[in-house]
């Protein structure tokens, strides 16, 4: 049971966690914090927060669990504002989509890595943002990856694990660099490709006509290009090396596919498409 949960960044992810924990009866009091008072008022009206504060240092007073759920580019500013402000025994965690960058931000913000800091990342989300888009079931049966560090206390990790499990998630632990490489492949590259495809099509001569005739496949493939541009800018900046490795690898594979089209190599094209179909069907079977 969390007595007082402080969520800094009461948007889609922070708001959804607050709602899930409330629904599970695992959280007595929620303090919301962000920059815009109108967003905070909305969080209260939606029943996500009991109290709100625009000052992170004040918002965390008396909280036994603090979740930082702001965009990656704002993490260091928030950590800096929390320096010396956390209650004794409070546990601090985050939800940032790239871990090495958040850990560096915490080191700079606090001057050293606090033993009560448990870096985390829920593998769940939608292309929407803001507290109005938050909902209680977002983490149900979804994975959350924790990347505790050498200095992270085992008790703090156990509390963060229990919090996510109470929200319905399945929790894994991983080394931060490994997390960043895995997510570059499974999430960051697909988002970059979706943004690039839609941007490229939108800049074609008559893009209205292209989009008019776009059907379900286009919608499925490009849904994630409606995601928040600021969040994805920050992810690309924070996990640049791992994303570039994936883009290089993918560009090579795409060039080989283009070459097969150029050479009218139907056998090669069918082999690639069959192997992709098998891999996706296996994945869907296993995870549905
Ligand atoms: P979001 O809905 O836009 O929420 C971000 C929240 O942070 C808003 O409440 C915003 O409110 C607040 N904020 C922004 N800058 C701030 C600052 N300097 N100080 C205090 N509050 C600030 O975004 P989200 O989708 O929840 O993403 C939040 C984090 O979750 C990101 O780090 C992202 O990498 C991670 N994440 C996202 C997803 C996803 O699919 N969306 C999945 C997993 C992890 P104000 O505008 O009022 O300040």
């Amino acid at each position: 049971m969390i007595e007082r949960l402080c969520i800094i960044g009461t948007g889609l992810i922070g708001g959804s966690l607050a709602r899930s924990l409330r629904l599970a009866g695992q959280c007595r009091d929620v303090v919301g914090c962000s920059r815009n008072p109108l967003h905070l008022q909305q969080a209260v009206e939606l029943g996500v927060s009991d109290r709100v504060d625009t000052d992170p240092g004040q918002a965390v007073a008396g909280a036994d669990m603090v979740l930082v759920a702001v965009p990656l580019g704002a993490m260091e500013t928030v950590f800096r504002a929390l320096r010396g402000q956390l209650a004794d025994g409070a546990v601090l965690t985050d939800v940032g989509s790239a871990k090495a960058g958040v850990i560096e931000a915490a080191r700079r913000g606090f001057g050293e890595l606090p033993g009560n800091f448990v870096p985390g990342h829920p593998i769940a989300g939608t292309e929407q943002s803001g507290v109005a888009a938050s909902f209680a079931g977002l983490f149900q049966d979804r994975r959350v990856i924790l990347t505790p560090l050498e200095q992270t206390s085992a008790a703090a990790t156990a509390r963060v694990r229990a919090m996510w499990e109470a929200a319905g998630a399945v929790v894994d632990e991983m080394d931060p660099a490994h997390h960043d490489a895995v997510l570059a492949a499974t999430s960051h590259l697909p988002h970059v490709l979706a943004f690039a495809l839609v941007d490229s099509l939108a800049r074609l001569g008559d893009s209205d006509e292209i989009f008019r005739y776009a059907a379900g496949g286009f919608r499925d493939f490009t849904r994630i290009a409606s995601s928040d541009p600021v969040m994805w800018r920050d992810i690309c900046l924070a996990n640049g090396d791992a994303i570039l490795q994936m883009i290089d690898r993918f560009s090579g594979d795409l060039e080989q596919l283009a070459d097969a089209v150029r050479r009218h190599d139907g056998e090669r094209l069918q082999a690639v498409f069959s192997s992709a179909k098998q891999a996706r069907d296996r994945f869907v079977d296993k995870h549905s």
Side-chain angles (χ1 to χ4, degrees):
M1 177 62 135
I2 297 169
E3 288 297 327
R4 181 173 296 169
L5 171 67
C6 176
I7 300 205
I8 305 192
T10 321
L12 170 71
I13 300 294
S16 295
L17 182 64
R19 287 180 191 265
S20 308
L21 293 174
R22 276 189 186 290
L23 194 69
Q26 290 296 319
C27 177
R28 222 179 285 283
D29 183 26
V30 179
V31 182
C33 173
S34 75
R35 297 160 306 175
N36 186 332
L38 292 177
H39 294 161
L40 291 176
Q41 189 189 331
Q42 198 179 17
V44 173
E45 283 163 9
L46 290 168
V48 170
S49 315
D50 300 298
R51 287 182 299 108
V52 293
D53 204 312
T54 51
D55 178 341
Q58 286 177 29
V60 296
D64 52 334
M65 178 68 75
V66 176
L67 178 92
V68 182
V70 299
L72 290 172
M75 291 280 179
E76 186 177 338
T77 310
V78 169
F79 291 142
R80 211 171 281 283
L82 297 186
R83 192 170 178 168
Q85 304 295 325
L86 295 171
D88 282 348
V91 171
L92 173 69
T93 186
D94 78 292
V95 297
S97 304
K99 297 322 311 169
V102 175
I103 292 164
E104 229 2 80
R107 197 192 304 276
R108 284 196 299 266
F110 288 104
E112 60 178 351
L113 279 170
N116 59 347
F117 174 49
V118 186
H121 178 207
I123 313 299
T126 73
E127 68 280 18
Q128 312 285 326
S129 43
V131 71
S134 66
F135 61 100
L138 180 60
F139 307 112
Q140 189 62 48
D141 300 325
R142 305 303 295 270
R143 302 241 163 212
V144 170
I145 300 175
L146 303 182
T147 63
L149 306 157
E150 236 172 62
Q151 48 276 82
T152 311
S153 99
T157 305
R159 286 207 62 203
V160 175
R161 174 184 280 273
M163 174 179 77
W164 284 111
E165 286 174 350
V170 177
V171 179
D172 294 325
E173 286 182 32
M174 216 179 259
D175 169 76
H178 187 56
H179 166 280
D180 288 357
V182 169
L183 269 291
T186 56
S187 169
H188 306 169
L189 178 67
H191 277 82
V192 169
L193 295 182
F195 282 124
L197 176 69
V198 176
D199 178 57
S200 177
L201 294 186
R203 286 185 292 102
L204 280 181
D206 187 353
S207 60
D208 274 358
E209 185 181 29
I210 305 273
F211 290 124
R212 189 175 319 129
Y213 295 114
F218 176 82
R219 192 170 274 269
D220 287 351
F221 188 78
T222 59
R223 176 183 61 79
I224 53 180
S226 292
S227 303
D228 182 17
V230 171
M231 176 175 136
W232 282 96
R233 175 202 66 192
D234 286 0
I235 291 173
C236 286
L237 295 176
N239 200 23
D241 289 348
I243 293 173
L244 279 177
Q245 273 185 26
M246 287 313 303
I247 291 179
D248 283 349
R249 191 190 160 105
F250 180 77
S251 303
D253 289 345
L254 192 63
E255 187 43 51
Q256 285 191 19
L257 216 48
D259 196 45
V261 173
R262 219 173 279 126
R263 289 184 287 103
H264 283 262
D265 186 348
E267 210 176 311
R268 175 74 193 139
L269 291 171
Q270 189 172 336
V272 173
F273 298 160
S274 299
S275 146
K277 174 174 166 48
Q278 278 170 21
R280 184 168 192 283
D281 289 351
R282 259 198 321 273
F283 164 79
V284 171
D285 269 0
K286 198 167 163 197
H287 295 282
S288 58

